[in-house]
Each structure stands twice: as C-alpha cells, then as structure tokens.
Amino acid sequence: MIPAAFAYARPTTVEEALQAIADGGEDVKVMAGGQSLIPVMRLRMAAPETVVDLVSVSEMRGVRDDGDALVVGAMTTHHDVLVDPLIAEHAPLLVQATETVADRQVRARGTFGGALAHADPAGDLAAVALALDAEMVIAGSGGRRTVPAADFFVDYLTTCLEEGELLVEVRIPKLRGEWGVRYEKFNRVAQAWSIVAVAAAVRRENGHIAEARIGLTNMGSTPLRAQATEAALAGADASAAAIAAAAERAAEGTSPTSDLNAQADYREHLARVLTRRAVSAAAGL
Ligand SMILES: Cc1cc2nc3c(=O)[nH]c(=O)nc-3n(C[C@H](O)[C@H](O)[C@H](O)COP(=O)(O)OP(=O)(O)OC[C@H]3O[C@@H](n4cnc5c(N)ncnc54)[C@H](O)[C@@H]3O)c2cc1C
C-alpha cells in the first residue's frame, strides 16, 4: 500500500519542530523512526496533511547524566539504548527490555520516545518507564512540562500529549541502594511482541524486600503497576515463599483483553508466573 500524499518538514531543532507542527495544517503527525507511523499510513489508517520528521533534531537524541537522573532523548534509538554505557550502568532494566524489542532493523530506526508516545500496551518500554518512575518532558508552544510516567499513559494508543506537543526527553531516576532488576517477557516466537511481560525492580535491605516496583505489559489498555503485589512485598522476607504469595496478586486491578494470542484468563496466569520469576530474579533468588 502507498500512503496518501503529504507535505514533509524536516526541522533541526525542537523550536523549529514545534513551528513546523503549528504551520502544518489540520492533521499533522510527527515521525520518529516511522516504525509504527509508516505502516499505519500505508494502510491509510492515518493520512496526515503534514509529516514532521524529527530525525535531524539532534538535541532530542542521546543520553546524558543529570546527577540523580539519566536523561534519555526521545529520538534515542533502541540500538543507541543498547550500546549506551550510562544506561548499562544506571538503567539495566531498560537494556533488558530493549533487547527483546523486535529485530535489529526495527531497533536501528525505532526510538525510545516514539515507542512511549505510540503507547501500545503490548510495547515493552512503557512498563519499564512505569517501574523506574520515569518522567516525561513534553514541549509545546507554551513551554515545557514534566509528567510522571504514571500519568502519561491515558488509554489504548493514547497519552496525555496534547495536539502540537512533543515528547522531548525522558528522565529516569538513578536507582540508589541495593536494587536488582529483571524483565520477563512471554511471546510465542523470538522477536515478537509481548503476550504479557513484567518489569521488576526490587530493593533489598537486611534480607528483606524494602520496596518493589512492578510494571505490567499488555495487561490492560495501558501499561500498569502490579500494585497489590508491590504492597504485599513491601517489608516481606526476600524468600521464595513470600514472593510466590505476593505474585499470586499480580493480576489484581488489571483488565487484559482476549485475542488470537491469548485469552484474558491466560494473560492473568502469565502475569502471576512472570511476576514471580521477575521479582525472584530481581531479589537475587
Ligand atoms: C516489526 C515490528 C516489531 C516490533 N516489535 C516490538 C516489540 O517486540 N516490542 C516493542 O516494545 N515494540 C515493538 N515494535 C515497535 C518499536 O518499538 C517502535 O519503537 C515503535 O513502533 C515506535 O516507532 P518509532 O520510534 O519509529 O515511532 P514512529 O512510528 O515514528 O511514531 C509512532 C507514534 O508516536 C508519535 N511520536 C513519535 N515520536 C514522538 C515524539 N517525540 N513526540 C510526540 N509524538 C511522537 C508519532 O506521531 C506516531 O503517532 C515493533 C515494531 C515493528 C515494526
């Protein structure tokens, strides 16, 4: 399929990009790597009047150390994430999840920010952003605002980004203390989307679990935190029995769909099993 005709803009700064969006007419789409946008345009499920290509906005690409947090530009590709030493040191959970995303070709073009802005509940990186308490830095005509990941994902393929706004960068607080992390993904074949996945970050203190943060992929219309399991783990023994009991609550508060890949009750089962595995590994068991 061939997309409908569109005007094309290729800004080089965030300011130029915002201007190009404002000037682009009724229906403007920004393009990161085009990995989700181009297929949708080819199917004519989207037919924007203007495409604003962010590929030359270099200030939106790369990773920097900002003291207590890493700042990852929205245009940082999945490949860039996988080879970045700062992310390897301070956000290994993001590395583990990104390794499971698609194949080399998609990882070479697809971006961290594009994946988050696309907000597919089967996407692997949103659950990681939730588990790491990331913050989204959003630019618009009125300036910049920062939104916690917990408030960014609003519904299926929907974020809190308003028309004309850009996700510019993502702040990922560094984990301080005795943290372990693990991303557990269940898919039918290698390199496929998650049927369910779990991103776990666990802080241990004196043989106990002081804090657990658990993001769930594909257990509802948005990525979710496994809040009942997190609450059950706070202060619990770092033992296999305590983790298994807490993981039994992983599907509470979720609303997975049934589709050709899995029924909802099977997804709930997967959430419990993968949470037990992810938390056990993150806790060092
Ligand atoms: C074959 C295939 C397999 C895949 N498998 C997986 C997988 O296993 N796991 C997984 O997590 N993902 C998977 N993906 C998705 C991949 O992770 C891409 O990152 C994702 O499709 C987004 O692509 P992109 O960065 O090129 O964004 P684009 O396709 O360019 O944009 C996606 C959407 O986000 C908007 N957007 C992009 N950037 C911004 C921004 N900075 N600010 C505001 N809005 C923005 C665009 O307007 C568009 O609506 C797969 C993709 C493909 C094609």
Side-chain angles (χ1 to χ4, degrees):
M1 290 278 293
I2 299 172
F6 56 88
Y8 178 78
R10 196 166 178 169
T12 56
T13 65
V14 170
E15 289 311 310
E16 282 179 21
L18 292 172
Q19 193 58 51
I21 296 169
D23 295 343
E26 288 280 298
D27 186 1
V28 183
K29 278 280 182 197
V30 297
M31 183 164 77
Q35 295 304 292
S36 292
L37 181 62
I38 289 177
V40 167
M41 287 173 61
R42 289 176 59 144
L43 292 168
R44 302 219 175 181
M45 289 160 64
E49 190 178 332
T50 305
V51 170
V52 177
D53 187 347
L54 301 175
V55 71
S56 300
V57 183
S58 51
E59 67 191 280
M60 286 176 64
R61 187 164 178 175
V63 182
R64 68 174 198 275
D65 192 327
D66 193 31
D68 285 344
L70 289 187
V71 181
V72 184
M75 285 299 291
T76 306
T77 65
H78 302 314
H79 171 79
D80 292 344
V81 164
L82 289 177
V83 297
D84 189 89
L86 284 171
I87 295 184
E89 184 179 350
H90 297 293
L93 185 59
L94 179 56
V95 176
Q96 289 181 20
T98 304
E99 277 169 346
T100 74
V101 170
D103 49 39
R104 278 174 188 270
Q105 288 88 343
V106 172
R107 292 197 295 266
R109 304 281 314 182
T111 64
F112 185 42
L116 298 176
H118 190 55
D120 188 325
D124 294 290
L125 307 179
V128 173
L130 274 188
L132 295 180
D133 282 344
E135 294 179 320
M136 314 298 177
V137 181
I138 296 169
S141 54
R144 294 195 177 200
R145 63 190 178 111
T146 301
V147 176
D151 298 332
F152 183 74
F153 304 102
V154 174
D155 203 346
Y156 183 70
L157 301 181
T158 307
T159 68
C160 72
L161 283 166
E162 303 279 355
E163 239 173 72
E165 285 189 325
L166 276 180
L167 175 61
V168 177
E169 56 195 24
V170 182
R171 295 179 61 83
I172 302 179
K174 292 179 186 170
L175 297 174
R176 306 277 189 203
E178 204 185 324
W179 284 90
V181 297
R182 179 66 144 240
Y183 193 68
E184 283 283 335
K185 170 166 169 172
F186 185 85
N187 47 5
R188 281 190 307 160
V189 291
Q191 304 180 333
W193 292 83
S194 287
I195 293 177
V196 172
V198 175
V202 173
R203 181 164 62 85
R204 285 180 62 159
E205 229 173 53
N206 305 323
H208 284 77
I209 293 175
E211 183 182 356
R213 301 195 208 145
I214 302 162
L216 302 173
T217 297
N218 222 3
M219 286 298 290
S221 57
T222 64
L224 296 168
R225 289 274 288 257
Q227 289 176 344
T229 298
E230 291 180 352
L233 286 171
D237 282 350
S239 68
I243 292 170
E248 280 303 301
R249 305 189 59 185
E252 284 181 25
T254 66
S255 50
T257 53
S258 294
D259 58 27
L260 285 176
N261 286 313
Q263 295 296 309
D265 61 345
Y266 183 56
R267 284 201 160 90
E268 290 173 0
H269 167 74
L270 284 174
R272 292 188 282 268
V273 171
L274 297 175
T275 297
R276 177 173 49 74
R277 289 183 192 162
V279 172
S280 300
L285 299 187

